[in-house]
Amino acid sequence: PNSYSGIYLQKLWYSLYYALIAAPIAVVTAFPFTYFLTRLTRRTQTLWLIFLLSSLSLSEVFIVMGWDVLLSNRSGLPMVLRELGITDWMKATGWFDVARDWGLASPRDLKFKTSLFATVLTMSYLVWPYAVILLYPALSRLDTSTVEAARTMGAGPWAVMRTVILPTVRIPLIGTTLLLFVFLLGVYVSVTVFADPSQHTLAVSIYGSVRGSTLNAPFGAAQSVILLITAGLFLVLSQILVSYAEKRR
């Protein structure tokens, strides 16, 4: 055909877009939790790690369905905010219009389903245990004497974090973020349930080609190769960044 359509490039873009937001959020929120986890007793750390590892046995379907209930308009967070009067307060102060501009409200009530917020939140939660487990070895081996020395010299908590802790674990941070990013490129259920149909990813398109209504397996395989090449390029990028960080040590 002579016509050109960029719809599948758009789907690839949304795959990258969601992963670029969700992966750093998961790492940023998991980092302080993991840091304080390593400061606990060995028994408490073991219990937390067992809990996190057991949570990985849950499939994406169970996790997404749980968030579907929590974010539903009739029985989830919008209902709680409405009953507490927060929705009316937002309407009175003008924040409701802001939420509607962000796609988080209908003309009458708050809504979180079919939004970027719900999609990214679910994807971040999905990989959050992986982020903790990947960061745990580096943070558990952190030399506490350097932290204590910095505090003795008058450095505040933020200064210690910025000048001592983060430079020490920057390579695991980079590696964890990129591994989660590659993992999120293939997320299917979260995007199907919470994202607008016009903003579905390439993973959803692949499933539609192979198992959905179109049943065009060769085209689905071609899309899979594109997604695989994209993931490979980012893994190569991660290796380059890690090598650069090691040289700067």
Side-chain angles (χ1 to χ4, degrees):
N2 295 324
S3 61
Y4 167 79
S5 175
I7 184 172
Y8 294 101
L9 288 177
Q10 184 184 52
K11 292 180 182 296
L12 177 60
W13 158 246
Y14 279 117
S15 298
L16 299 172
Y17 180 64
Y18 292 137
L20 280 170
I21 300 175
I25 289 176
V27 173
V28 167
T29 53
F31 181 82
F33 173 84
T34 311
Y35 175 76
F36 288 113
L37 175 64
T38 58
R39 308 276 81 81
L40 301 176
T41 62
R42 182 63 61 180
R43 177 181 175 83
T44 306
Q45 292 182 42
T46 303
L47 292 174
W48 270 108
L49 290 174
I50 292 173
F51 172 75
L52 291 170
L53 287 170
S54 63
S55 69
L56 297 179
S57 63
L58 297 174
S59 70
E60 184 186 355
V61 175
F62 285 113
I63 294 173
V64 172
M65 290 303 103
W67 278 107
D68 187 37
V69 174
L70 289 174
L71 299 177
S72 64
N73 295 331
R74 293 189 176 183
S75 61
L77 186 58
M79 183 201 69
V80 174
L81 296 176
R82 183 172 60 252
E83 294 298 324
L84 292 175
I86 296 177
T87 302
D88 293 332
W89 173 82
M90 292 179 66
K91 290 179 179 178
T93 56
W95 284 104
F96 187 83
D97 294 331
V98 176
R100 187 164 54 188
D101 293 338
W102 290 351
L104 299 178
S106 62
R108 293 185 177 182
D109 202 358
L110 292 173
K111 71 173 185 67
F112 297 110
K113 289 184 65 176
T114 315
S115 67
L116 174 65
F117 169 78
T119 306
V120 170
L121 175 65
T122 310
M123 293 174 69
S124 299
Y125 181 85
L126 186 67
V127 297
W128 193 84
Y130 293 102
V132 174
I133 292 170
L134 289 170
L135 291 173
Y136 177 80
L139 289 173
S140 63
R141 294 193 301 267
L142 186 66
D143 188 1
T144 56
S145 62
T146 58
V147 176
E148 294 299 329
R151 290 175 178 172
T152 302
M153 298 179 66
W158 170 243
V160 172
M161 181 65 68
R162 180 172 52 85
T163 60
V164 178
I165 299 175
L166 287 178
T168 305
V169 298
R170 65 179 181 272
I171 294 177
L173 281 173
I174 295 172
T176 300
T177 304
L178 285 164
L179 283 174
L180 297 185
F181 171 82
V182 171
F183 178 87
L184 289 171
L185 289 177
V187 168
Y188 168 77
V189 182
S190 302
V191 178
T192 304
V193 174
F194 292 114
D196 188 273
S198 64
Q199 299 176 352
H200 279 180
T201 61
L202 200 59
V204 178
S205 177
I206 292 170
Y207 182 86
S209 298
V210 177
R211 299 290 299 274
S213 58
T214 59
L215 293 179
N216 189 349
F219 184 58
Q223 294 179 83
S224 301
V225 171
I226 296 298
L227 193 60
L228 181 63
I229 292 174
T230 303
L233 289 175
F234 277 94
L235 287 176
V236 171
L237 175 63
S238 69
Q239 185 62 41
I240 294 173
L241 290 175
V242 168
S243 300
Y244 177 73
E246 289 179 342
K247 290 179 181 179
R248 292 192 61 185
R249 278 187 168 183

